[in-house]
Amino acid sequence: MIHCRADLANVRRVVVKIGSSLLADAESGIRQGVVDHLVDELAGLIVAGKQVVVVTSGSVALGRVRLGWVDRKLSVHEKQAAAAIGQPKLMYAYARAFARHDMSVAQMLLTKDDLRHRRRYLNTSNTSETLFSVGVVPIVNENDTVVVSEIKFGDNDSLGALVSLVVDADLVVMLTDVPGLYDRNPGAHKDAKRIDIIPHLNDEHIAMADDTGSSFGTGGMASKLAAARVATRGGVAAAIISGKEKGTLTRLLAGEDEGTLFLCGVDRQSKRQHWITEVLHSAGEIHIDTGAARALLEQGSSLLPVGVTAVEGVFDKGDCVEIVAPNGVIAKGLCNYTAEEMRLIMGHASSDIEAILGFHDFSSVIHRDNLVLIQKKTL
Ligand code: GLU
């Protein structure tokens, strides 16, 4: 666990997210020189005994350049086609750069939907473990050609954060075109200061990035903070550093004062809780009364059918649903019964379940172990 900068020297497994703006050029396509110098640093870390996963953007940008579609807005299908064209170019650039160090790369293309299925999540994790064991560097990108917005990560910052959880990394580093997070917009304020460490990333920090519109004057800081929150909640430290200057990653991992470091705060969740809150889609809603809400919030109880007042949506056993108290959503959890069964037993005592359904699998409709409070609203 990382508690301070000095602990970064002990990082064993690190996810490094590299953005399109660093890698791709509107005129010439891939900036092989940039890829080479980044890979030189990554290879140095690997030789020093660290395991590295690269999460890279750039496929759409490289495809655009190849097709001459640089300055126009693309439809979803055009973007997907551009990604299909750019992805092999991107991989070729990494393969060439790592080959200079006698190292091989492997391509892993993921969608958010893949990580929603427990089995595919585990397969992804097992594949990366196997790649580490044979000393090959996993290079991850979103599988853009098959995704539509509902199953998209949205951006590669959040892909990087989720990958850091899947591969059980100690740290996720986001390389960008600014030296870290600033206390105010560095473009507008000469005295803006880089924030060294954020021990607990909270709503205020996120709002700071939103307030200034484009993240203190630079693109994408809001999505980086959202990704840092996902990672740190899941137990993985995060860092934002510049990818423009050479050596920043090596300095960060030597414990030196580089970029902004985000530590895991008090809201740290278990992997399972994190999977429920951050990865799973809600298939429906279970509305509950004040008594049940109090039992969940104050006593850490499971949700019983007697406290359920309404059920919305169509869902199966094991699906994820939102739990809605009279004053709003308070939790997410995995159901023990289908929506149809839930409608029949709602408002009844658990002892009546067998008489109503003809079977009794569980006394609770959502067991405490499968339930995560997402907002501690007062009643
Ligand atoms: N997956 C996209 C690409 O490789 C980039 C998405 C992003 O950077 O947020 O072009």
Side-chain angles (χ1 to χ4, degrees), residues 111-361:
T111 69
K112 196 165 193 177
D113 211 31
D114 293 328
L115 303 186
R116 283 193 192 125
H117 294 89
R118 197 79 191 143
R119 221 181 53 212
R120 291 201 217 166
Y121 183 103
L122 294 174
N123 282 336
T124 309
S125 159
N126 291 339
T127 303
S128 53
E129 284 301 332
T130 309
L131 291 171
F132 290 135
S133 72
V134 294
V136 171
V137 186
I139 312 263
V140 181
N141 195 359
E142 179 145 30
N143 195 358
D144 288 308
T145 50
V146 299
V147 284
V148 287
S149 57
E150 309 88 83
I151 58 164
K152 247 179 124 45
F153 286 98
D155 57 70
N156 272 14
D157 294 320
S158 60
L159 173 62
L162 287 169
V163 165
S164 74
L165 298 163
V166 177
V167 306
D168 203 11
D170 307 298
L171 175 73
V172 53
V173 182
M174 291 172 264
L175 292 175
T176 183
D177 50 4
V178 283
L181 178 67
Y182 281 78
D183 60 353
R184 46 217 297 230
N185 184 346
H189 303 273
K190 285 219 157 56
D191 57 345
K193 288 195 179 57
R194 172 173 57 87
I195 301 175
D196 174 18
I197 297 188
I198 297 197
H200 178 207
L201 185 57
N202 57 31
D203 290 343
E204 231 169 273
H205 300 114
I206 308 258
M208 262 158 67
D210 284 338
D211 274 348
T212 48
S214 57
S215 67
F216 315 106
T218 55
M221 194 55 84
S223 88
K224 286 181 179 52
L225 293 187
R229 176 133 86 168
V230 168
T232 53
R233 273 196 181 159
V236 179
I240 297 174
I241 62 171
S242 167
K244 281 183 131 178
E245 297 116 53
K246 289 188 184 171
T248 50
L249 185 59
T250 311
R251 284 198 293 277
L252 175 80
L253 287 166
E256 289 174 33
D257 179 24
E258 192 66 59
T260 302
L261 175 64
F262 302 86
L263 305 177
C264 300
V266 284
D267 56 356
R268 190 181 164 181
Q269 298 175 321
S270 72
K271 275 196 157 185
R272 186 170 177 76
Q273 289 176 322
H274 194 270
W275 184 60
I276 292 172
T277 53
E278 300 296 340
V279 183
L280 290 185
H281 235 351
S282 298
E285 288 178 2
I286 297 186
H287 293 254
I288 60 172
D289 60 24
T290 311
R294 191 161 287 141
L296 299 189
L297 293 170
E298 293 167 10
Q299 288 146 32
S301 311
S302 296
L303 179 62
L304 303 178
V306 69
V308 178
T309 55
V311 175
E312 280 174 27
V314 180
F315 50 85
D316 212 341
K317 284 185 213 306
D319 279 351
C320 182
V321 292
E322 282 184 333
I323 302 174
V324 189
N327 63 351
V329 179
I330 57 165
K332 273 175 91 179
L334 309 181
C335 294
N336 285 336
Y337 292 95
T338 66
E340 220 174 306
E341 291 162 354
M342 206 87 104
R343 285 190 185 99
L344 294 171
I345 59 176
M346 69 186 195
H348 292 277
S350 302
S351 53
D352 295 340
I353 293 178
E354 178 138 29
I356 297 170
L357 298 181
F359 64 91
H360 176 284
D361 279 346

Side-chain angles (χ1 to χ4, degrees), residues 17 20 56-61 87 90 141-142 144 154-157:
K17 186 261 164 179
S20 307
T56 186
S57 307
S59 64
V60 175
Q87 181 63 25
L90 193 56
N141 195 359
E142 179 145 30
D144 288 308
D155 57 70
N156 272 14
D157 294 320

Side-chain angles (χ1 to χ4, degrees), residues 16-169:
V16 180
K17 186 261 164 179
I18 306 174
S20 307
S21 61
L22 293 171
L23 299 175
D25 182 278
E27 309 263 287
S28 55
I30 194 81
R31 293 192 179 116
Q32 188 67 45
V34 174
V35 179
D36 286 349
H37 92 67
L38 288 171
V39 166
D40 290 347
E41 277 202 67
L42 298 172
L45 296 174
I46 294 168
V47 168
K50 304 198 188 295
Q51 293 172 327
V52 174
V53 178
V54 177
V55 172
T56 186
S57 307
S59 64
V60 175
L62 295 179
R64 275 175 178 272
V65 175
R66 167 65 187 79
L67 294 167
W69 289 350
V70 174
D71 287 324
R72 71 179 180 89
K73 200 167 161 19
L74 302 187
S75 70
V76 173
H77 298 310
E78 286 173 334
K79 269 192 204 156
Q80 290 174 320
I85 293 163
Q87 181 63 25
K89 294 183 182 296
L90 193 56
M91 284 308 295
Y92 180 61
Y94 281 104
R96 265 176 76 181
F98 274 106
R100 291 152 51 249
H101 298 273
D102 263 339
M103 291 178 190
S104 299
V105 296
Q107 170 178 264
M108 287 173 71
L109 296 178
L110 296 176
T111 69
K112 196 165 193 177
D113 211 31
D114 293 328
L115 303 186
R116 283 193 192 125
H117 294 89
R118 197 79 191 143
R119 221 181 53 212
R120 291 201 217 166
Y121 183 103
L122 294 174
N123 282 336
T124 309
S125 159
N126 291 339
T127 303
S128 53
E129 284 301 332
T130 309
L131 291 171
F132 290 135
S133 72
V134 294
V136 171
V137 186
I139 312 263
V140 181
N141 195 359
E142 179 145 30
N143 195 358
D144 288 308
T145 50
V146 299
V147 284
V148 287
S149 57
E150 309 88 83
I151 58 164
K152 247 179 124 45
F153 286 98
D155 57 70
N156 272 14
D157 294 320
S158 60
L159 173 62
L162 287 169
V163 165
S164 74
L165 298 163
V166 177
V167 306
D168 203 11

